[in-house]
């Protein structure tokens, strides 16, 4: 819970400010929530949840409840102050603060520093986008001992509220509030219920693991706040309720992330500090910033660093991460030389060395965060860097002095990481090439495509030379490249860095993709545009840029056999992508091909089934008598298909099935990769024993 002073009178007259209207969102959803796919669909939930969490950060709420309804509607309930319901004194139409907050773009409490000193949302769109993209949106406000209700419907283009004339608000008796039947009773708060408009949104399914992962993460970042998820959607016959409450906050977060790792030092280094910092380029104003950090070293060779600003994940880092790393570099170099673990004339420890095996969470609370580009992926506030550097230096130096044995183990590991980096540098250099289209520098076994437009091109990573040969003959060589992989690649979760870059298959992939490798990726700066297509300017009037990744192929497709070995190869590849080529996953370039499991045919008919359920449908299609006379072939591998079959079932863009690999919660994915591919075997064994009874076909 934030310790910010709660003295401001949050009401409709001063807390809600209007900037402009709402009409463009439903026409151009991509400008506001990033698109209409599965990720954007879930983003609708985050927009509403973020408002409730803002109440928690401001110290006015202690719990947030999310309910997935049977019909696909979502309810978000908090025990905050409740959105203001009085008529806004600044509104010519005499509308209530509630109506304005839900229907006017760039209107809301986030624009008044007294209403919200810290907020995850900046642009005043938030729940207005949810409203514009929903079949309906209902809101219940419990405020000043009264319950107020408002409903918006998609059939009205401007989403005008149903009910009495503008300025009036229908009053409900508390007993009629059926939405809250399974939610906690409280004397104040906000309940918002919405159902997405699937005439606009392409996807119509909620993913429990995505929602649960995000909410759990929110609970970690806000110690003392209870987050609840009620799920009636996934299995209506057996609803579930999960609760997350972490008094330990970031320390518990780091502990759980390292649960399946062999920790190097048992102590989790932790610190929290608040400070008034002078705002850059402003002579008088100061920002009240809160920084909270927790980190711990393990024996792993990869890092897990996650940073946040106002609970929003800064996936591309920024000034807070820079300040953190600078402090680690300075102190480890100093300690290593003083303790004679490293000579002063040696190559110095770098920011890449200090993060090997490091799990860290950096959380900043800032009243006016500035981001580079539109995605909020990189924090740009310059005043944050020295502040985080200072707190990191204080807590890490204190830790090193008070824990000499743990300190020695950590510094030795970092020095070994430095030595490994030097050895790996030559191998990493070998993966680079002068031009991404210089076929002379491409792997010899790559069958490249003739097209040179990356937005059109795709590459198949194919298991084995046999399947690779069939894929090469069956492909469309204009836009489809084939890279056969021999056997199983090295498990990067366990291997040292220099060993990874000595692996021929890994080098072939890095070279073919043409984006470099961690930590030196090749990004292109592209001007950021607002919803009207105009350049986004920073506070100095300069154009801001988004970092865009441009690999040689727009789709990188993993194509393995539909059996246990194929699944193992796929997870090895995904582990490598997640640990060393994560931007490819984060930007949606990685896909998994879905080959058929069965072919049912006779002299006149031929059908493919991609699952046992589809096989049952084929049986029903032909009838039991005819089906028994047909041949059913169970494919054990891609090599059993001739080139024409492989094209028809798995490579033809018109007919194939591709599954895009995404990261909705990087920290959750981190835990899963550590669990599946790490050194600790016992948890995996327990999982297999407990879940073996649910396996129906070991080859699928």
């Amino acid at each position: 819970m934030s310790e910010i002073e709660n003295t401001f009178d949050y009401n409709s007259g001063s807390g809600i400010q209007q900037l402009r209207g709402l009409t463009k969102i439903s026409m151009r959803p991509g400008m506001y929530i990033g698109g209409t796919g599965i990720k954007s669909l879930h983003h609708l939930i985050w927009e509403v949840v973020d408002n409730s969490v803002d109440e928690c950060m401001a110290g006015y709420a202690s719990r947030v409840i999310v309910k997935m309804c049977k019909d696909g509607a979502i309810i978000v309930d908090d025990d905050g102050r409740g959105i203001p319901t009085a008529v806004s004194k600044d509104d010519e139409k005499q509308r209530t603060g509630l109506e304005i907050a839900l229907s006017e773009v760039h209107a809301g409490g986030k624009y008044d520093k007294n209403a919200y000193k810290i907020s995850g949302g900046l642009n005043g769109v938030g729940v207005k986008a949810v409203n514009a993209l929903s079949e309906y949106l209902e809101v219940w406000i419990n405020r000043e001992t009264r319950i107020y209700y408002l409903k918006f419907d998609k059939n009205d283009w401007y989403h005008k509220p149903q009910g009495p004339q503008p300025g009036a608000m229908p009053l409900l008796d508390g007993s009629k509030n059926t939405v809250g039947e399974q939610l906690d009773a409280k004397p104040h708060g906000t309940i918002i219920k919405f159902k997405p408009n699937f005439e606009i949104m392409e996807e119509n399914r909620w993913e429990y693991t995505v929602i649960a992962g995000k909410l759990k993460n929110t609970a970690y970042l806000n110690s003392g706040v209870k987050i609840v998820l009620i799920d009636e959607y996934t299995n209506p016959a057996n609803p579930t309720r999960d609760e997350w409450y972490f008094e330990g906050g970031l320390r518990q977060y780091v502990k759980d992330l390292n649960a399946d790792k062999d920790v190097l030092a048992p102590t989790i280094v932790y610190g929290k500090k608040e400070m008034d910092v002078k705002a850059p380029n402003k002579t008088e104003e100061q920002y009240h910033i809160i920084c909270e950090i927790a980190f711990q070293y393990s024996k792993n060779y990869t890092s897990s660093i996650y940073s946040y600003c106002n609970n929003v994940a800064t996936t591309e880092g920024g000034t807070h991460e820079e300040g953190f790393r600078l402090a680690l570099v300075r102190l480890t170099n100093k300690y290593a030389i003083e303790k004679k673990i490293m000579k002063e004339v040696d190559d110095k420890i770098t920011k890449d060395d200090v993060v090997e095996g490091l799990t860290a969470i950096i959380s900043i609370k800032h009243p006016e965060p500035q981001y580079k580009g539109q995605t909020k992926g990189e924090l740009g506030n310059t005043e944050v860097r020295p502040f985080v550097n200072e707190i990191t230096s204080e807590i890490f130096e204190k830790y090193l002095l008070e824990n000499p044995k743990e300190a020695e183990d950590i510094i030795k590991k970092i020095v070994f990481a430095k030595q490994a980096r030097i050895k790996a540098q030559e191998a990493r250099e070998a993966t680079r090439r002068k031009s991404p289209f210089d076929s002379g520098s491409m792997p010899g076994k790559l069958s490249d495509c003739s097209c040179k437009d990356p937005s059109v091109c795709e590459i198949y990573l194919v298991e084995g030379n046999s399947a690779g040969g069939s894929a090469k003959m069956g492909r469309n060589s204009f836009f489809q490249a084939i890279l056969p992989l021999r056997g199983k690649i090295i498990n990067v979760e366990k291997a040292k860095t220099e060993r990874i870059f000595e692996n021929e298959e890994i080098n072939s992939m890095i070279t073919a993709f043409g984006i470099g490798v961690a930590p030196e990726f090749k990004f292109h700066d592209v001007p950021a545009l607002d919803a009207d297509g105009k350049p986004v300017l920073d506070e100095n009037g300069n154009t801001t840029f988004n970092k865009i990744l441009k690999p040689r192929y727009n789709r990188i497709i993993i194509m393995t056999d539909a059996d246990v070995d194929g699944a193992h190869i796929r997870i090895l590849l995904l582990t490598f992508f997640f640990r060393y080529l994560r931007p490819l996953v984060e930007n949606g370039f990685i896909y998994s091909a879905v080959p058929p499991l069965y072919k049912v045919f006779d002299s006149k008919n031929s059908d493919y089934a991609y699952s046992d359920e589809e096989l049952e449908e084929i049986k029903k299609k032909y009838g039991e008598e005819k089906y028994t006379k047909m041949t059913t072939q169970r494919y054990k591998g891609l090599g059993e298909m001739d080139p024409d079959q492989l094209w028809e079932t798995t490579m033809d863009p018109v007919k194939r099935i591709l599954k895009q690999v995404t990261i909705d919660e990087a920290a959750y994915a981190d835990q899963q990769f550590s669990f599946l591919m790490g050194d600790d075997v016992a948890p995996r064994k327990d999982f297999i024993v407990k879940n073996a009874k649910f396996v129906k076909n070991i080859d699928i």
Side-chain angles (χ1 to χ4, degrees):
M1 295 287 290
S2 171
E3 298 177 3
I4 295 174
E5 186 178 3
N6 302 322
T7 59
F8 177 68
D9 180 17
Y10 179 56
N11 56 61
S12 61
S14 52
I16 303 295
Q17 300 175 11
Q18 302 172 52
L19 298 183
R20 64 179 183 142
L22 173 70
T23 56
K24 294 182 180 179
I25 296 178
S26 56
M27 296 177 63
R28 304 171 71 184
M31 287 291 187
Y32 297 91
I33 62 169
T36 56
I38 191 71
K39 187 173 183 178
S40 298
L41 176 66
H42 286 78
H43 188 79
L44 297 179
I45 300 178
W46 313 146
E47 289 289 7
V48 183
V49 168
D50 284 349
N51 286 345
S52 296
V53 173
D54 287 344
E55 284 286 283
C56 295
M57 287 196 295
Y60 296 107
S62 61
R63 65 114 181 96
V64 180
I65 301 174
V66 178
K67 183 177 179 182
M68 303 162 64
C69 301
K70 295 177 182 178
D71 66 350
I74 296 292
I75 299 170
V76 179
D77 175 357
D78 69 61
D79 61 344
R81 291 167 289 182
I83 301 172
T85 56
V87 175
S88 173
K89 65 182 181 182
D90 298 323
D91 185 50
E92 295 179 358
K93 301 176 183 178
Q94 289 294 289
R95 293 172 298 175
T96 63
L98 176 60
E99 182 182 341
I100 294 169
L102 297 179
S103 61
E104 285 284 347
V105 175
H106 303 304
K110 309 301 172 62
Y111 287 102
D112 195 305
K113 296 176 185 177
N114 294 314
Y116 282 101
K117 294 188 184 296
I118 293 172
S119 169
L122 291 176
N123 55 17
V125 177
V127 75
K128 274 79 72 175
V130 180
N131 191 0
L133 299 172
S134 291
E135 185 177 317
Y136 66 83
L137 183 144
E138 296 177 277
V139 58
W140 288 260
I141 304 298
N142 197 339
R143 185 180 173 93
E144 298 166 351
T145 71
R146 311 175 78 192
I147 296 178
Y148 298 87
Y149 171 82
L150 198 60
K151 181 177 181 179
F152 298 82
D153 189 273
K154 73 172 183 179
N155 294 320
D156 190 310
W157 178 250
Y158 292 98
H159 282 244
K160 288 170 64 178
Q162 300 173 352
Q165 296 299 314
M169 188 78 64
L171 176 65
L172 291 182
D173 184 287
S175 63
K176 296 180 181 178
N177 182 12
T178 56
V179 173
E181 284 180 351
Q182 293 191 36
L183 308 183
D184 294 350
K186 75 281 185 192
H188 51 81
T190 300
I191 298 176
I192 290 180
K193 179 180 182 181
F194 70 92
K195 187 175 183 180
N197 182 353
F198 293 113
E199 294 176 3
I200 300 175
M201 306 304 293
E202 297 175 25
E203 296 287 348
N204 62 351
R205 58 188 172 86
W206 299 114
E207 294 186 357
Y208 171 83
T209 54
V210 172
I211 298 172
K214 173 75 172 183
L215 295 180
K216 183 178 181 181
N217 181 68
T218 301
Y220 280 127
L221 293 170
N222 296 274
S223 60
V225 175
K226 181 170 73 172
I227 308 289
V228 179
L229 176 59
I230 300 171
D231 181 12
E232 295 180 351
Y233 172 81
T234 306
N235 185 2
N238 185 28
T240 61
R241 180 185 177 108
D242 293 295
E243 294 187 9
W244 297 283
Y245 177 88
F246 301 110
E247 195 65 46
L250 299 195
R251 279 172 286 201
Q252 186 64 46
Y253 198 172
V254 170
K255 182 179 179 181
D256 290 350
L257 283 172
N258 282 347
D260 296 306
K261 299 175 183 177
D262 189 0
V263 297
L264 182 66
T267 304
I268 295 176
V269 186
Y270 172 81
K272 181 178 181 180
K273 188 171 186 176
E274 300 187 32
M275 183 180 291
D276 289 324
V277 177
K278 182 180 179 297
N281 303 322
K282 298 179 181 179
T283 55
E284 300 295 334
E285 188 173 1
Q286 288 190 323
Y287 295 146
H288 186 77
I289 308 176
I290 304 171
C291 177
E292 192 175 5
I293 298 173
F295 61 95
Q296 182 184 38
Y297 279 92
S298 74
K299 296 180 181 178
N300 284 40
Y301 300 105
T302 56
S303 63
S304 302
I305 300 175
Y306 302 101
S307 60
Y308 302 84
C309 181
N310 299 349
N311 290 331
V312 177
T314 45
T315 55
E316 297 172 22
T319 51
H320 49 347
E321 283 198 26
E322 291 170 7
F324 174 71
R325 293 172 192 250
L326 285 170
L328 295 185
V329 169
R330 181 178 61 81
L331 287 173
T332 51
N333 272 302
K334 177 185 175 184
Y335 193 94
I337 292 171
E338 287 180 351
K339 299 298 181 180
K340 302 188 182 332
I341 299 173
M342 184 177 76
K343 296 179 181 179
E344 192 165 359
V345 295
D346 290 347
D347 290 334
K348 294 297 182 286
I349 293 167
T350 70
K351 62 181 180 179
D352 298 324
D353 304 327
V354 296
V355 298
E356 182 179 288
L358 179 64
T359 298
I361 307 295
I362 307 160
S363 178
I364 288 287
K365 304 291 174 64
H366 197 297
E368 283 198 22
Q370 301 294 324
Y371 298 96
K372 296 181 180 179
Q374 290 173 294
T375 62
K376 293 186 182 179
E378 183 178 358
L379 186 67
N381 296 73
T382 56
E383 71 280 2
V384 166
R385 188 186 296 107
F387 176 51
V388 177
N389 189 322
E390 180 179 325
I391 181 176
T392 305
S393 297
E394 289 177 1
I395 63 174
F396 192 41
E397 187 165 31
K398 184 173 183 289
Y399 166 77
L400 293 174
L401 293 173
E402 294 179 353
N403 301 273
K405 178 60 173 69
E406 292 184 22
E408 184 179 357
D409 291 341
I410 290 172
I411 301 302
K412 282 183 177 179
K413 176 179 174 56
I414 292 172
V415 171
F416 289 150
K418 181 200 72 171
Q419 296 167 349
R421 168 179 53 84
I422 295 171
K423 291 180 182 178
Q425 192 65 39
E426 185 176 333
R428 187 181 280 111
E429 287 290 339
T431 68
R432 298 173 179 167
R433 55 193 178 86
K434 294 180 181 179
S435 167
F437 300 113
D438 178 10
S439 60
S441 63
M442 289 291 96
K445 56 186 177 181
L446 170 69
S447 298
D448 211 349
C449 52
S450 58
C451 178
K452 301 303 180 186
D453 180 358
S455 67
V456 175
C457 300
E458 57 188 38
I459 183 171
Y460 278 83
L461 307 178
V462 186
E463 172 189 352
N465 291 327
S466 176
S470 292
K472 181 180 178 180
M473 290 186 286
R475 66 173 174 153
N476 183 324
S477 61
F478 173 70
F479 69 95
Q480 291 179 322
I482 307 296
L483 180 62
L485 300 176
R486 183 180 59 191
K488 298 176 181 178
I489 69 166
I490 190 171
N491 181 0
V492 301
E493 192 73 14
K494 299 180 179 181
K496 293 182 178 180
T497 305
E498 64 266 30
R499 281 199 59 210
I500 293 169
F501 292 107
E502 290 171 356
N503 184 272
E504 181 181 346
E505 308 302 312
I506 285 178
N507 279 333
S508 295
M509 287 187 287
I510 294 173
T511 305
F513 301 158
I515 66 161
V517 66
E520 300 171 3
F521 294 111
K522 299 175 183 177
F523 285 99
H524 300 260
D525 288 335
V526 176
L529 304 177
D530 63 15
D532 297 318
K534 299 178 181 179
V536 177
L537 305 180
D538 62 20
E539 57 186 9
N540 298 318
N542 300 316
T543 300
T544 61
F545 293 86
N546 289 328
K547 290 183 177 180
I548 303 297
L549 198 69
K550 292 184 179 180
R552 294 185 70 242
Y553 308 95
N554 192 50
R555 285 173 294 276
I556 298 170
I557 304 167
I558 301 170
M559 187 163 69
T560 60
D561 293 343
D563 59 11
V564 173
D565 280 343
H568 190 203
I569 292 172
R570 186 163 58 250
I571 191 63
L572 285 168
L573 287 169
L574 290 175
T575 304
F576 167 60
F577 293 151
F578 182 78
R579 294 302 187 195
Y580 288 91
L581 297 174
R582 189 181 299 185
L584 287 176
V585 187
E586 292 173 336
N587 288 276
F589 290 107
I590 306 297
Y591 295 80
S592 179
V594 182
L597 295 177
Y598 304 97
K599 181 180 181 181
V600 179
F601 62 95
D602 58 17
S603 59
K604 298 181 179 180
N605 303 287
S606 178
D607 290 271
Y608 293 98
Y610 292 81
S611 65
D612 288 332
E613 290 74 20
E614 288 190 15
L615 182 61
E616 291 300 318
E617 291 298 319
I618 293 173
K619 290 180 182 179
K620 294 177 183 177
K621 172 184 174 181
Y622 291 110
E624 189 67 31
E625 183 177 350
K626 184 174 182 180
Y627 175 77
T628 56
K629 297 178 181 179
M630 301 176 74
T631 300
T632 300
Q633 180 182 1
R634 168 66 165 93
Y635 289 115
K636 294 292 184 181
L638 299 171
E640 294 183 13
M641 284 185 273
D642 60 38
D644 289 339
Q645 290 176 330
L646 198 56
W647 165 259
E648 181 183 5
T649 63
T650 318
M651 301 182 73
D652 181 358
V654 177
K655 299 178 181 179
R656 71 187 179 187
I657 300 173
L658 290 182
K659 293 184 177 180
Q660 189 176 36
V661 179
T662 60
I663 302 177
D664 293 287
E665 269 305 315
Y668 176 75
D670 191 327
Q671 287 178 294
Q672 294 305 302
F673 279 114
S674 296
F675 171 73
L676 292 170
M677 310 303 290
D679 287 315
D680 196 351
V681 178
R684 289 197 293 275
K685 182 178 179 180
D686 291 341
F687 177 83
I688 293 170
V689 171
K690 291 177 182 178
N691 293 276
K693 61 183 178 182
F694 300 114
V695 178
K696 295 181 179 180
N697 191 328
I698 196 67
D699 287 330
I700 296 178

